[in-house]
């Protein structure tokens, strides 16, 4: 071909002003090829423009580009055609689509501006032709080993900026000329315009999606914030976090709450992935422990599961952690991380509110407790009952289990209370009192607190601690079954003396320093209660020992007569009564029996009772009948120095004949219990001793061998609530309901007495042996 050839024309060359003649037919073919190449991309853009909400993925665009590149390779007759697109900054190229190259040559390859042949095209925005690939810099060494020998590369430009590089390659040396590059540029210009429209749509679509996601995140935050504002406890906060986050992410969601140096799972969206199960300590190497310990988020995007762990940092420190785990290893995008951070911040505020509400509730509960404890202190009249009530109060406001150990009069530690908040667990807890009290030689906190006189506590039980404080394997198994988690033991100290200790055990949480302070305040109140109640018990026992000492130590054994007596002190109050009984063997062989009650409930009444019993014995040998004894006592009342009135029932019984004579000074009539019926004997009472009155009358009769005579004091009659008549009828029914012996009759009467009675009870029952 010569310059005069009419089928050639001149085209402007690169800078320098020279010109080159190009085959017009070839140019026309290239133009047609460019239209063919651009058509798939243009069709894609038109479809996008017609349906802007269509879901078009990167894979869809890659398929379209590969279709276009395949057309180009066929028209140009080259071995491979590839397109690299510039990043947003325009400083780096990445393979987007290729035809004729193995996939491994393009995956993960990034080419910076000015680096390699494509990088120089990106930087200079001018075509380049390489006749021998071995003679130039190649970024991807695998490309040099692929067998390709020559390359023509041209820029993809749009609106004055380079958006990528298009290149064709051949296995032949010097396959491409400058003309080929110019023709390739024609195709590139058309393709760049179409690609720019598609990329513009993608940017618009991505911006719209990002805006929609932002609106969605704001909506999610509003919903989470609104519900968090309504919850009142830390576990409820954890539940809200899991419920909202699990609906928005396909990953596993978990929330840990801090209890001392432990992080305990509080809520989760399902079965935890491997390595994320169970509680951990803040010293562990797990991501949750690290995030809480360092109070900063931890993220991991693979290899392996990806995760985000965000500490929930409150005013008083880190309260726990929020975790999102994707077992598939999908990265957690920055926008989602921002949302999680915002949620963790809202959760921290909710935890602060929950902690404040819990503290206020605990303050109110504890104020109520101390008011009730003060009431128990004011009403204290029995050590065991008082401690039982205090144990009930303690388990309502502190731990689930309360143990109270008290030093007895011998200095030995005695477990007085073992209470469980859940009545269903009380049988197990009772074993801690009856079977497994503290070993006085062991390391139990109750023993150590009493010995050292100071509080002991721990926010968790270790296995070593449990083994050191239990008696044997059975004891260890019991405390494991109860699910103990933490404890606080405080000594009971009153007036500088250690009285015992109170141990509170939690099965649900870790005790904190404020719990210890409360337990110590509780112990101060309990110590006062224990001290007062123990003093009361000593006084109670002392007064009733005195009272019992005034009664006969033993009764005379009389052939032919069976005698049974019962004496029960009142169970309320420290006062002692004047109830008494006595049996005297007379010189005639008959027995004289007395039952009486000196008015009043104090030591003076008890003292007068003792004197009256002694006076009755002294006068018994000088009178001939029960009536005469009552007359003698009335006549001698002032001489004896008695200043109180007294009721008395006096009777005599002949063991041989069964002759019975009874007189009464204001006392209840005796009860005759027989196989043929039960009746109160019609003994006519005169006024009580100490008051003027006519001489007493005397009832006389015979006591059959099949009968039991029962004399009693008013403690056996519930006249205050039921009335005398009804109470006496009940007494008669109970006495007759069984074997007719003095002992059995007395036992039946005692069995139905009110355990909380205010009066003493004296019973005396007699019967004759059948042989007499």
């Amino acid at each position: 071909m010569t310059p005069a050839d009419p089928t050639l024309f001149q085209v402007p060359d690169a800078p320098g002003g020279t010109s080159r003649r190009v085959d017009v037919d070839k140019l026309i073919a290239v133009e047609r090829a460019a239209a063919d190449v651009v058509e798939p991309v243009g069709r894609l853009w038109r479809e996008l423009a017609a349906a802007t909400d269509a879901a078009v993925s990167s894979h869809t665009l890659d398929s379209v580009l590969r279709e276009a590149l395949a057309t180009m390779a066929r028209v140009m007759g080259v071995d491979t055609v590839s397109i690299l697109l510039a990043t947003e900054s325009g400083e780096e190229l990445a393979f987007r689509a290729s035809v004729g190259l193995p996939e491994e040559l393009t995956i993960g390859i990034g080419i910076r501006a000015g680096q390699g042949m494509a990088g120089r095209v990106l930087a200079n925005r001018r075509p380049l032709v390489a006749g021998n690939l071995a003679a130039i810099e190649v970024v991807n060494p695998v490309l040099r080993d692929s067998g390709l020998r020559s390359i023509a590369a041209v820029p993809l430009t749009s609106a004055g900026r380079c958006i990528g590089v298009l290149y064709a390659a051949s296995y032949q040396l010097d396959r491409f000329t400058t003309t080929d590059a110019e023709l390739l540029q024609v195709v590139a210009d058309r393709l760049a315009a179409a690609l720019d429209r598609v990329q513009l749509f993608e940017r618009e679509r991505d911006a719209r999606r990002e805006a929609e996601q932002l609106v969605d995140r704001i909506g999610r935050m509003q919903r989470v914030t609104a519900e968090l504002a309504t919850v009142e406890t830390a576990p409820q906060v954890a539940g809200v976090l899991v419920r909202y986050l699990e609906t928005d992410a396909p990953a596993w969601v978990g929330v840990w709450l801090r209890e001392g140096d432990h992080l305990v799972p509080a809520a989760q969206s399902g079965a935890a992935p491997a390595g994320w199960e169970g509680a951990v300590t803040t010293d562990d190497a797990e991501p949750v422990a690290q995030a809480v310990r360092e109070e900063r988020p931890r993220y991991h995007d693979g290899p392996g599961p990806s995760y985000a762990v965000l500490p929930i940092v409150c005013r008083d420190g880190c309260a726990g952690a929020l975790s999102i785990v994707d077992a598939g290893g999908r990265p957690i995008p920055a926008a989602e991380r921002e949302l999680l951070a915002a949620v963790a911040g809202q959760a921290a505020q909710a935890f602060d509110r929950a902690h404040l509400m819990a503290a206020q509730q605990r303050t109110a509960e504890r104020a109520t407790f101390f008011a009730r404890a003060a009431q128990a202190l004011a009403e204290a009249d029995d050590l065991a009952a008082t401690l039982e009530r205090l144990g009930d109060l303690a388990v309502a406001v502190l731990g689930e289990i309360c143990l109270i150990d008290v030093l007895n009069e011998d200095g030995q530690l005695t477990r007085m209370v073992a209470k469980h908040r859940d009545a269903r667990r009380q049988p197990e807890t009772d074993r801690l009192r009856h079977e497994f009290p503290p070993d006085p030689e062991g390391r139990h906190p109750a023993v150590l607190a009493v010995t050292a006189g100071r509080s002991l506590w721990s926010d968790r039980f270790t296995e070593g601690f449990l083994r050191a404080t239990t008696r044997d394997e059975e004891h260890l198994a019991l405390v494991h079954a109860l699910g103990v988690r933490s404890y606080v033991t405080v000594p009971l100290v009153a007036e500088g003396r250690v009285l015992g200790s109170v141990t509170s055990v939690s099965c649900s949480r870790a005790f904190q320093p404020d719990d210890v302070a409360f337990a110590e305040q509780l112990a101060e109140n309990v110590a006062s209660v224990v001290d007062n109640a123990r003093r009361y018990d000593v006084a109670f026992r002392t007064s009733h020992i005195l009272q019992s000492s005034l009664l006969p130590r033993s009764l005379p054994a009389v052939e032919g007569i069976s005698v049974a007596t019962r004496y029960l002190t009142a169970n309320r109050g420290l006062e002692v009564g004047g109830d008494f009984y006595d049996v005297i063997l007379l010189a005639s062989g008959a027995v004289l029996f007395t039952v009486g009650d000196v008015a009043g409930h104090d030591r003076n009444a008890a003292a007068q009772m003792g004197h009256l019993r002694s006076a009755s014995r002294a006068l018994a040998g000088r009178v001939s009948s029960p009536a005469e004894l009552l007359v003698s006592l009335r006549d001698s009342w002032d001489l004896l120095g008695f200043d109180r009135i007294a009721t008395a029932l006096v009777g005599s019984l002949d063991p041989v004949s069964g002759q019975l004579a009874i007189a009464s000074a204001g006392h209840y009539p005796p009860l005759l219990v027989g196989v043929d019926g039960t009746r109160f004997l019609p003994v006519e009472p005169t006024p009580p001793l100490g008051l003027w009155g006519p001489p007493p009358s005397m009832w006389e009769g015979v006591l059959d061998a099949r009968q039991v005579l029962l004399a009693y004091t008013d403690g056996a009659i519930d006249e205050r609530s039921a009335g005398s008549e009804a109470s006496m009828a009940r007494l008669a029914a109970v006495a007759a309901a069984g074997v007719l012996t003095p002992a059995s009759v007395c036992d039946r009467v005692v069995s139905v007495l009110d355990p909380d009675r205010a009066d003493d009870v004296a019973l005396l029952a007699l019967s004759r042996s059948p042989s007499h």
Side-chain angles (χ1 to χ4, degrees), residues 676-692:
D676 55 349
T678 301
R679 63 192 177 95
F680 289 96
L681 296 180
V683 179
E684 187 68 29
T686 56
L689 299 174
L691 296 177
W692 180 90

Side-chain angles (χ1 to χ4, degrees), residues 490-523:
V490 294
L492 297 169
V493 182
E495 299 180 358
R497 296 177 296 109
V498 178
L499 309 177
S501 67
V502 177
T503 302
S504 289
V505 179
S506 176
C507 303
S508 59
R509 65 185 183 91
F511 281 136
Q512 300 300 316
D514 64 322
D515 296 307
V516 180
F518 170 72
E520 290 175 339
Q521 187 177 0
L522 165 64

Side-chain angles (χ1 to χ4, degrees), residues 16 45 75 112 164 195 213 269 295 340 343 356 383 394 426-427 430 540 577 598 607 624 632 643 688 691 742 753 759:
W45 182 83
V75 171
R112 296 191 60 80
L195 274 177
Q213 291 172 355
S269 59
E295 294 190 359
L340 293 175
V343 169
L356 178 59
L383 178 61
Q426 188 57 47
D430 285 337
F540 183 89
V598 176
S624 60
S632 296
D643 57 359
L691 296 177
L753 293 178
D759 288 330

Side-chain angles (χ1 to χ4, degrees), residues 552-578:
R553 294 181 178 275
S554 63
L555 298 176
V558 181
E559 185 178 357
I561 295 180
S562 296
V563 181
T565 60
R566 300 288 185 272
Y567 189 90
L568 289 82
T569 57
N571 284 344
R572 284 190 289 148
L574 288 176
E575 297 85 359
V576 293

Side-chain angles (χ1 to χ4, degrees), residues 508-703:
S508 59
R509 65 185 183 91
F511 281 136
Q512 300 300 316
D514 64 322
D515 296 307
V516 180
F518 170 72
E520 290 175 339
Q521 187 177 0
L522 165 64
E524 291 180 12
N525 288 270
V526 171
S528 300
V529 172
V530 171
D531 197 31
N532 287 348
R534 189 165 65 173
R535 291 174 186 271
Y536 175 87
D537 269 12
V538 171
F540 183 89
R541 289 196 303 273
T542 301
S543 63
H544 286 85
I545 288 172
L546 170 63
Q547 183 178 12
S548 298
S549 69
L550 298 175
L551 296 171
R553 294 181 178 275
S554 63
L555 298 176
V558 181
E559 185 178 357
I561 295 180
S562 296
V563 181
T565 60
R566 300 288 185 272
Y567 189 90
L568 289 82
T569 57
N571 284 344
R572 284 190 289 148
L574 288 176
E575 297 85 359
V576 293
D579 292 21
F580 68 94
Y581 63 83
D582 203 355
V583 176
I584 305 169
L585 179 60
L586 299 175
S588 63
V591 294
L592 184 75
F593 59 89
T594 59
V595 172
D597 183 4
V598 176
H601 292 82
D602 55 24
R603 295 183 182 181
N604 289 335
Q608 183 167 318
M609 173 266 286
H611 293 317
L612 179 57
R613 190 175 69 84
S614 298
S616 298
R617 280 180 167 257
L619 294 172
R622 299 183 180 185
V623 298
S624 60
S625 69
E628 287 185 17
L629 178 58
L630 291 179
V631 171
S632 296
L633 287 172
R634 179 177 288 121
D635 292 343
S636 306
W637 202 255
D638 292 336
L639 293 175
L640 293 171
F642 295 157
D643 57 359
R644 302 193 182 196
I645 64 173
T647 67
L649 182 78
V650 182
S652 64
L653 175 63
D654 187 319
V656 178
S657 65
Q659 286 296 317
L660 184 64
I662 302 174
S664 172
H667 203 82
Y668 284 98
L671 177 66
L672 189 64
V673 185
V675 294
D676 55 349
T678 301
R679 63 192 177 95
F680 289 96
L681 296 180
V683 179
E684 187 68 29
T686 56
L689 299 174
L691 296 177
W692 180 90
S697 61
M698 191 164 60
W699 178 90
E700 294 182 284
V702 176
L703 180 65

Side-chain angles (χ1 to χ4, degrees), residues 743-754:
S744 60
V745 168
C746 288
D747 289 340
R748 286 197 293 273
V749 173
V750 168
S751 69
V752 299
L753 293 178
D754 183 358

